[in-house]
Amino acid sequence: MELPPGPRAPAVWQTIAWMARPAAFLQGVYRRFGDPATIRTYWTEQPMVLFSSPDSVRAVFRLDPDIAPAGQSWEFLRPFAGPHSILLLDGEEHLRERRLMQGPFHGERMRAFAPMIAELARAELAGWRGRVIALDRMRELTLTIILRVVFGAQDPGEVATLRRAIDDTLATVRSLPSVLGMAIVRRDLGPRSPWGRFRVAVERFDATLFDLLARRRGAAANGAANGAGDRQDNSMLDVLLAQRDDGGNPPSDQHLRDELVALLVGGHDSSSASLAWAFERLARHPSVQARLRDGDPAYLDAVVKEALRSRPPLTIAPRLLLAPVDIAGHTIPAGVQVAACLWLAGRRDDLWPQAGAFRPERWLDGGSQPAPNPLSWIPFGGGVRRCAGAPFAEMEMREVLRAASELPGTLRPGRAEPERARRSMLVLVPNRGGEILVG
Ligand code: HEM
């Protein structure tokens, strides 16, 4: 069975293009080969067939997880994500884990985080003067937010220790040379090699996390003994700690650790990348900033949607095929990855009028143009694996951009030319980090 056409360049070159110039690479593949197209990178062991039209995207999201498990596509994350990670599970196990992890995201509980996020965002933006690299600031802010939301961490010492452990671990997988080194040499060659450095960082991270879990369990037990057992704590960890399986057993430390890592990994780099892009776009669109200042919540929402459409931080939602499947008229054999291409779906000119333009108005102009097709706006993926944190992520973006709209003066770009995308671990970020001038 033949795979759809794709670049003939060796996998090593496709991997470099995929990492260093991902947007140009995907656009180029689409221009030359159309939809679907097959790419070969070291990112996955198998070739990957990319789909981006609404019909094929729907078909990919509806694939039976028994035939097209998504967990296996994230296998390379296992050393950090852990064996219980929602990212790696499939079928019944995945659904069970997903039900547990959705607990902390329930409407009211999640909305209660908004004022805290707004306050942290205002405090962060109040310090902005001159040249600001939005990505650096957003990494710091979204990590602070996620530490508060996930762990309820308030004590400055605890926040600093957690922050260092997470930053050290993520730093080993964010740089292009380390990731390429890890993709090409898939073995741990000692503590100075890319995998070795990663392993040491994960061990240190785990020690910090297990220590925190022991203290939280101790505090919960003390609280119960002191008659404060029904005290309502609101961090996601508190919700996860209180959960019981069908046999009434509390989650193990290892299970909790893996859930926390999924929330931290899912909720940190993708959110900071989206916000850095939003600032990169806003700085080049003073009229959008002006309209944001009017305080219309619908417009704020449109800005968030448009930033996620035009610069989705994740480019693909991959599934590994265990049996041949038919996707929108194409028979794809077993043993390859198929992916809904989140990036192309939002950027194809046949799917979006002036796809390259940043126009939040397209979400509001009811009647003056066709309503956007929901299957072409898929920054959070879809189907049973759709991002568990999507409502939280959109709420966080709204709060940060609302705080930005309250800044005096207009944000301007650091340099005239728009920033191209480069890969940082799993996400696409602006290549200069979203360089803006403030004040
Ligand atoms: C703008 C920010 C974000 C974007 C663009 C994003 C995007 C995504 C995407 C594309 C997936 C994979 C979907 C698929 O395979 O079909 C995903 C999964 C996931 N995300 Fe997010 N995400 C964001 C923020 C967050 C946040 C803030 C959290 C948690 C606090 C989070 C937690 C998760 C989890 C747990 C999964 C795994 C879901 C599963 O496998 O069932 N994400 N996200």
Side-chain angles (χ1 to χ4, degrees), residues 167-181:
D167 266 346
D168 287 355
T169 315
L170 293 183
T172 60
V173 282
R174 267 189 195 134
S175 89
L176 179 60
S178 325
V179 174
L180 276 178

Side-chain angles (χ1 to χ4, degrees), residues 61 74 86-87 94 98 101 105 146 236 262-263 266-267 270-271 274 308 313-314 317 319 342 379-382 384-390 392-393 396-397:
F61 288 150
W74 300 112
I86 184 169
L87 302 168
H94 168 254
R98 209 175 146 92
M101 290 201 50
F105 289 105
I146 207 79
M236 293 188 177
L263 291 173
S270 44
S271 292
S274 312
L308 288 167
L314 286 146
R319 319 284 187 241
L342 317 181
F380 294 110
V384 286
R385 314 249 7 162
R386 187 172 191 272
C387 175
F392 178 84
E396 182 181 38
M397 287 183 76

